[in-house]
Amino acid sequence: MKPGSLVCDIKLCNALCCRSCPVLTEDEVAELVTDVKREYAFDLDTKKYFRKASGEYGLYYAVKMKKGQCIFLDKEKRCRIYRCRPKLCELYPVVDVDAVDERCPLVMKNKISREMLDALKMRYSDEIDARIKKEQIFNFI
Ligand code: SF4
Ligand code: SF4
């Protein structure tokens, strides 16, 4: 469930936002491994949880999918690394500098304020890696 400050009813969306894989840079993956070790005392095996992806501007790591959903989602549809989840997950339902996922019930039912969406868009602009923002298509390797 995400984002943390919002109340999501996953019965409505079946964790829609966790049915596509976040893409990270190599540095972000290294940071995630460190954070997960600190927060959950768990050694994240990058080969097990990520696959490589290429784009026009570089090479990246995509979180693997399992049965159509993110490998980190548990049976109760909760993120197993929630406290360390990737930035792209944290900023959802914002999915680009000026785009939101209209299918998210928080957006559809106006349960997220315009101010909150604007703040998330600002964070997207400031915090998401410049190359990832420019990529149109990722090719999974
Ligand atoms: S890392 Fe967590 S929040 Fe992000 S898509 Fe996977 S399960 Fe969802
Ligand atoms: S799709 Fe929207 S309502 Fe559902 S878990 Fe994700 S952010 Fe929350």
Side-chain angles (χ1 to χ4, degrees):
M1 179 167 68
K2 58 189 178 179
S5 53
L6 298 167
V7 179
C8 300
D9 182 354
I10 50 175
K11 286 195 287 304
L12 288 177
C13 65
N14 199 21
L16 170 78
C17 48
C18 302
R19 282 189 259 136
S20 56
C21 58
V23 175
L24 291 81
T25 63
E26 191 167 8
D27 288 349
E28 287 170 336
V29 169
E31 194 180 335
L32 182 66
V33 169
T34 305
D35 290 351
V36 167
K37 176 81 176 167
R38 187 190 61 241
E39 287 290 321
Y40 295 96
F42 179 68
D43 284 316
L44 205 57
D45 176 353
T46 52
K47 285 202 178 76
K48 182 172 173 190
Y49 291 99
F50 293 89
R51 59 183 171 158
K52 290 194 177 155
S54 67
E56 196 178 340
Y57 303 98
L59 274 175
Y60 310 93
Y61 289 78
V63 178
K64 282 188 183 172
M65 303 287 285
K66 198 172 172 188
K67 296 184 181 169
Q69 62 183 32
C70 175
I71 197 167
F72 291 120
L73 206 63
D74 70 13
K75 285 187 186 140
E76 282 74 46
K77 305 277 182 201
R78 305 284 169 190
C79 176
R80 289 186 287 141
I81 57 162
Y82 186 74
R83 295 196 296 279
C84 318
R85 67 201 185 283
K87 205 72 89 179
L88 286 173
C89 306
E90 218 180 299
L91 300 181
Y92 196 88
V94 166
V95 291
D96 207 337
V97 175
D98 200 20
V100 296
D101 189 341
E102 303 283 347
R103 301 167 305 162
C104 166
L106 295 174
V107 177
M108 276 197 302
K109 295 177 181 295
N110 290 320
K111 290 196 171 172
I112 180 167
S113 68
R114 176 55 49 198
E115 291 73 26
M116 175 78 82
L117 283 177
D118 286 346
L120 290 173
K121 284 179 185 172
M122 186 85 76
R123 284 190 58 200
Y124 194 104
S125 172
D126 291 344
E127 298 174 26
I128 296 299
D129 181 86
R131 288 168 300 152
I132 288 181
K133 277 192 293 210
K134 283 196 290 185
E135 299 292 2
Q136 299 293 318
I137 294 172
F138 293 103
N139 297 301
F140 299 108
I141 302 167

